[in-house]
Amino acid sequence: MPLRNTCSLGALRNTAVARKRSKVPPQPHTDLRGVRVLFRAGRWRYRAAITVEGKRIVGPLREDPESAHRDYLGLAARATAPVRAVVTLQQGLQAVLAEQQARGRASERSRASTASVCEALLRAWEPDLVLADLTAEDLDWYVTSAVGAGRSLTTVIEKDLPVLRGALKSAGIRWPAEFSTPRKPRRVMAVLTSDEVARLLEGVRSRPIRDRRGNPLSLAARAHHADIMELLYLTGLRAGELARITVADIDLSRCTIKVRNHKDAGAALQASEETLALGEESRDLLARLVASAAPAARARGDGQRPASMRLIPGGELYLSTMFARWAKRLGEPRLCGRTLRHSFVSATLQLTGDLAMTRDLARHRSVQTTARYVHALTQQQRETRAALAGLLKASQTPAGGA
């Protein structure tokens, strides 16, 4: 039962007189919990107050009771929140490595990559850095310093920041909302000119190389590799499409190739077939590839009928190994199936000057995909002109030198 005010009528009269003399306005009334009413600087103000374990905690002075009540709710939430253990950067990174190992799905190479990222983070910051103190400014500093030290921006975005995000998540700390992840740099499209492709094919046919067992590769095998690269450049085939072509898909009389293209369409996998028509000068190239498919299949022990044999018995793995070996041997890191396709589209666009026709030959879904090769071609022309200008400047005689 609440206590009643038992003061006398005279006491109330004296209080009213005192307030009138001091010009103090009457005390406002509030029903909000945890809000105290105080008279400060000639006016009534409000302050949140709460008692935690015998200790009085108060908030700032407010002009309205609603603001003071919000302060009270914040004080109450902080007082009842569980005490979080201090987690350092080293502990968070160890938790990330332990979680990756506990899943068991990551390969040894992936675990080694994560460990190297953890080492880079520990070198940039102190191991005893408290993760709760990590701010957006710290993340911006790390990105800038890592790129300045020679680490690529793509590596920082795709590897370093996700590992750091996992460390914060393991400690129950939110990622700083103020930090904006930088955009990945646009990858420059690798394109080879027709002269460069011709030199590479000549190098594949003439230069000796050893296979994975250390044995020297025969002249016929090197010629077979050059024929595969030439076919990719002349047709613009993707490596996966070439790996799915069988001997029956090649019609030497019409000089055509039937291409099977698999596309993901939601939960279903759609397969489409297209027929590529080659020139008469490519008939000998196709005949050599068909003739070399049967011995290669017998050497690998495939035991299939000639019509159902793959044109490349080893498939995509054989192609990727072949390109990696020759790129290292010839000193041309751009040499791969994708580069040959880019070179085909770029050369076709340069010869025809027609985006629609180039799109059909490259089998692009949209002309916007083909339009990207225009920028690559423009960049290539700009670099060529810059190189010519440099040669011309170097060949000129300096003024006053003669």
Side-chain angles (χ1 to χ4, degrees), residues 385-402:
R385 291 190 177 95
L388 290 175
L391 292 176
L392 180 61
K393 186 177 180 180
S395 62
Q396 290 176 349
T397 305

Side-chain angles (χ1 to χ4, degrees), residues 4 12 57 160 198 256 273 346 354 397:
R4 293 185 178 180
L12 291 176
I57 302 176
D160 296 10
T256 59
E273 292 185 355
S346 178
D354 189 351
T397 305

